[in-house]
Amino acid sequence: MRKLHLIVIGLLFVPTFFLTSCDQGDEPEVLTPAFTLLKDHMINNNLDIDKIITNADGEKFVVAAPAEADLAAFLDKFYIIDIRSATDFATSHIEGAKNVAFSTILNEGTNAGSKPVLIVCYTGQTACYGTALMRLYGFSHTRALKWGMSGWNSATAGSWNKNVNDVAKDTPSWSYEKEITPLVLSDPTISSLSQSGEAILKSRVELAVQEGFKTVTNADVVANPSGYFINNYFSGTDYIGFGHLTDAYRILPLTLADNSYKGLDPTPGAKVVTYCYTGQTSAVVTACLRVLGYDAYSLTFGMNGLYHSNSAWTSNQWGVGSSVPKELTLVN
């Protein structure tokens, strides 16, 4: 009985021993938030949003279709991947292009060797989204064909021709009011067990590729602008001159380094919609924002789909000037 009594007393002291040991030991390691690690890695490696739009070598994310005289050199320069449907690719495509699924673009990038990748789609928008993700993944010289196949030849221009619109014209959703002062909000929350910014970036890009291009239509936003956190990616002059979606913020520049990104709503489920003139730059911004943890979307066709007939246009209006299809060769 005495032996049992001693055992019980000993067990009572066990928790005290462990508590004392914990009190005297090292403090628990405080982990750096995944977003902070990701942000720092992107800034320190020329992967901030503005460096994805224009890389460290001064190459913008898009390249226009060449003049006929420059076609041979253009085709020789790029490893061209066409992410349109297999049916449309078989009907007509750029000579030497390879048809791949969007979900495989990261793997396909390794097959390019020393050549820069050129991504081709119908309108340039999905290609720009993919270009941003590939640049973030390390394929820094990747570019998208501006205007997509629509700018290559009038025979493949249907996707742009049928989507120019004036859906916002003369509606309460279109405003000419002065800019709204951006908010200062918190960082998004990213779930990751890694303490490596590089590893977090890699996994976030891979996830974004698998999820595909995230968009909203201009009609949906015009019908319910209050249902979105709207980011207008115009110059200050155009914000007033063109007009803008009601209650849209204008956050430009938009970078991590200057904390301007904090003007965006990081709340899960708060749809952050970026729009630009053509839907191509907004696709790049949206790709970056999704990698950073925002519930981000690109407004398809941009200003061209909102108010194409707006008299303030000077550039990037579909069907005028440099956006007229080049009538370059197609093969099947």
Side-chain angles (χ1 to χ4, degrees):
M1 189 72 178
R2 178 179 175 81
K3 184 175 180 181
L4 179 61
H5 182 69
L6 291 173
I7 291 172
V8 171
I9 292 173
L11 289 173
L12 290 174
F13 277 99
V14 169
T16 303
F17 171 77
F18 279 109
L19 288 172
T20 302
S21 298
C22 289
D23 289 341
Q24 295 176 348
D26 295 333
E27 291 293 326
E29 182 182 0
V30 178
L31 300 179
T32 303
F35 178 86
T36 302
L37 294 167
L38 176 60
K39 172 185 173 179
D40 291 346
H41 175 77
M42 289 173 64
I43 292 172
N44 294 333
N45 289 276
N46 286 321
L47 296 172
D48 204 341
I49 298 170
D50 59 331
K51 298 300 190 299
I52 300 302
I53 290 174
T54 302
N55 67 19
D57 293 322
E59 297 169 340
K60 197 173 179 182
F61 64 93
V62 289
V63 60
E68 182 71 44
D70 300 322
L71 179 58
F74 184 91
L75 297 179
D76 184 62
K77 176 180 179 179
F78 292 104
Y79 182 82
I80 304 173
I81 60 175
D82 186 327
I83 57 174
R84 296 177 302 151
S85 73
T87 300
D88 290 335
F89 180 84
T91 300
S92 57
H93 59 266
I94 297 171
E95 182 179 356
K98 183 176 180 181
N99 188 217
V100 303
F102 181 87
S103 61
T104 67
I105 58 173
L106 299 178
N107 292 331
E108 195 60 40
T110 63
N111 296 328
S114 60
K115 285 189 173 185
V117 173
L118 179 69
I119 307 180
V120 177
C121 68
Y122 295 96
T123 65
Q125 296 174 89
T126 307
C128 286
Y129 191 77
T131 291
L133 295 174
M134 288 193 69
R135 286 188 168 196
L136 286 166
Y137 206 68
F139 300 105
S140 62
H141 296 289
T142 301
R143 304 178 83 175
L145 181 65
K146 188 173 184 179
W147 306 110
M149 289 300 291
S150 295
W152 192 265
N153 191 294
S154 58
T156 49
S159 294
W160 259 108
N161 289 338
K162 68 183 180 183
N163 280 292
V164 295
N165 211 316
D166 280 345
V167 67
K169 182 180 179 180
D170 298 328
T171 72
S173 296
W174 199 251
S175 171
Y176 293 89
E177 296 295 322
K178 66 180 182 179
E179 291 184 34
I180 306 169
T181 302
L183 305 171
V184 180
L185 302 168
S186 59
D187 291 343
T189 300
I190 294 175
S191 179
S192 176
L193 298 176
S194 176
Q195 285 288 284
S196 164
E198 181 179 14
I200 294 169
L201 176 60
K202 181 180 179 181
S203 65
R204 295 290 302 174
V205 171
E206 290 170 351
L207 176 62
V209 170
Q210 293 309 308
E211 290 179 338
F213 189 19
K214 298 296 183 178
T215 66
V216 293
T217 68
N218 41 57
D220 285 343
V221 177
V222 168
N224 181 30
S226 64
Y228 303 90
F229 184 98
I230 305 174
N231 177 34
N232 172 292
Y233 208 77
F234 285 6
S235 68
T237 300
D238 288 346
Y239 183 87
I240 299 298
F242 281 68
H244 51 83
L245 285 166
T246 301
D247 294 332
Y249 292 90
R250 191 187 74 85
I251 306 176
L252 177 63
L254 173 57
T255 69
L256 298 170
D258 69 357
N259 285 329
S260 54
Y261 74 92
K262 287 182 176 287
L264 302 173
D265 190 346
T267 308
K271 291 188 173 183
V272 177
V273 176
T274 300
Y275 75 99
C276 63
Y277 304 97
T278 68
Q280 295 172 107
T281 304
S282 63
V284 173
V285 171
T286 297
C288 294
L289 295 183
R290 290 201 74 85
V291 167
L292 288 164
Y294 290 94
D295 187 20
Y297 300 81
S298 180
L299 190 146
T300 52
F301 301 97
M303 180 67 181
N304 278 282
L306 289 168
Y307 196 165
H308 181 261
S309 68
N310 193 303
S311 60
W313 277 106
T314 57
S315 63
N316 286 315
Q317 184 183 29
W318 173 252
V320 178
S322 63
S323 69
V324 174
K326 296 290 182 62
E327 307 303 348
L328 295 169
T329 303
L330 293 167
V331 297
N332 51 30

